[in-house]
Amino acid sequence: MIKHVVFIVQENRSFDNLFHGFPGADAASSGLINTNATVSLQPVPLEQSYDPNHALIDYVTSYAGGQMNGFNLVGYVGGAPPSKYPQYSYVPASETAPYVALAKQFTLADHMFTSQVDSSYSAHQFLIAAQSGLTADYPDAEPWGCDAPTGTIVPTITAQRTLGPGVAPCFDYSTLGDELDAKNVSWRYYAPAIGSDQGGTLWSAYDVIKHIRYGADWANDVSPPTQILADAAAGNLAGVSWVIPDYYDSDHAGNSSKSGPAWVQSIVDGIGTSPEWGSTAIFVVWDDWGGWYDHVPPPQLDVQGLGFRVPLIVISPYAKPGYVSHVQYETAGLLTFAESVFGLAPLAAADARANDLADCFDFNQTPRSFQAIRRRLSSVRYVPHPPSGLPPDRE
């Protein structure tokens, strides 16, 4: 039934921040600060300049031993705080309309936790390998991978969830791409080019894997990410695809842009109206919480996880329509799903333990035809843009 799996990876949003007020979902309108006082979540638009910290120490502070009341103690990377408790915010519904439309048409998972407790470097590794070599936070130079300057290091994580000794950000552990190669299943990683601005130096996860970066498989690292639209339209969608936006389209706080939802809509509409729709499962996920408040304590399974909740939208002819799944998931479970589709073994502890997202699907239902979101949201259009010149947040 499913022959194509697509992961669209956006940046740095908690569930409460992005799906505030969604019908039937476990979403809060208020939260606790460190004094245990309750504060209301306030609307803060995607394009605002404020960008809360979201590194390992910020997770530990916010989690507060499971009390979930330390978010207000965390600082920020850049931009002026828009309110007294800016971490306790949600994106206005007027800006999330494409996400809400997709979630109402297909399936929204409201208990998806990240497999790691820190920021984007390790988050993207878990999305290709279900591990990060026990690294935490991010390298001290760019690009974030084997292309980094000599002497670049990335911290490790200790058993006490502190930063340990640094190591080079270039590894040789197995990835989903390696397993797919062994089964002769095609894969592509669509992302901004290494060395480009707007995220190309940060979020190209396979640049971390030495045997891929310097081997034949590097041809599977494709730019620009919009190439997936042409491949889908031509009936040439890979067995597994990752789609990584540039910084401007990523939903990342502080990027002065609100184009992320329209970007995702354009990718989903392109695949949905292609010849590949009938055998495809699309997962729209956010890589980490970005410093934004969330009220659900993440289960603690190992030193690296679980992290705070992020949204997950499951889009497929076989996704349950208008359904909110309350089952506990983690981001490595996206690999678990692909492994189940293609008969692959787990790569690491995270994908071995993860739920395979079966609750989001009904493979006995009549496959659903696709209705393009753009036809129902006439005011929302994705407009390609030149580079903004803004430096991507290193977290």
Side-chain angles (χ1 to χ4, degrees), residues 141-158:
E142 302 167 7
W144 281 0
C146 298
D147 281 295
T150 301
T152 299
I153 59 171
V154 58
T156 53
I157 187 170
T158 72

Side-chain angles (χ1 to χ4, degrees), residues 264-282:
V264 170
Q265 169 196 303
S266 72
I267 300 299
V268 172
D269 282 353
I271 297 171
T273 55
S274 78
E276 308 285 37
W277 165 249
S279 57
T280 297
I282 303 171

Side-chain angles (χ1 to χ4, degrees), residues 67-244:
Q67 298 180 80
M68 303 293 283
N69 64 355
F71 289 81
N72 63 298
L73 300 177
V74 171
Y76 54 97
V77 180
S83 60
K84 185 175 182 180
Y85 299 110
Q87 306 90 343
Y88 296 73
S89 303
Y90 65 90
V91 179
S94 61
E95 293 193 346
T96 60
Y99 295 149
V100 170
L102 286 168
K104 287 184 174 179
Q105 184 178 354
F106 298 101
T107 293
L108 176 69
D110 68 354
H111 279 73
M112 164 65 92
F113 299 89
T114 61
S115 294
Q116 92 297 333
V117 294
D118 57 322
S119 48
S120 291
Y121 175 84
S122 56
H124 283 255
Q125 290 304 295
F126 272 90
L127 287 166
I128 66 167
Q131 65 153 306
S132 69
L134 286 176
T135 56
D137 288 354
Y138 40 87
D140 60 4
E142 302 167 7
W144 281 0
C146 298
D147 281 295
T150 301
T152 299
I153 59 171
V154 58
T156 53
I157 187 170
T158 72
Q160 294 74 39
R161 284 186 173 166
T162 58
L163 295 180
V167 296
C170 187
F171 295 87
D172 247 340
Y173 45 71
S174 293
T175 69
L176 187 61
D178 295 305
E179 289 197 302
L180 293 167
D181 286 343
K183 281 289 185 92
N184 293 314
V185 177
S186 60
W187 62 274
R188 297 188 190 99
Y189 192 91
Y190 298 91
I194 295 292
S196 68
D197 62 358
Q198 304 305 304
T201 61
L202 306 185
W203 304 328
S204 192
Y206 278 103
D207 186 42
V208 173
I209 310 302
K210 186 175 182 180
H211 64 271
I212 290 180
R213 176 61 185 94
Y214 299 117
D217 265 347
W218 189 243
N220 293 327
D221 193 285
V222 178
S223 62
T226 49
Q227 179 61 38
I228 193 173
L229 298 176
D231 291 344
N236 190 33
L237 200 59
V240 176
S241 301
W242 291 260
V243 188
I244 313 300

Side-chain angles (χ1 to χ4, degrees), residues 34 62 276:
N34 68 304
S62 300
E276 308 285 37

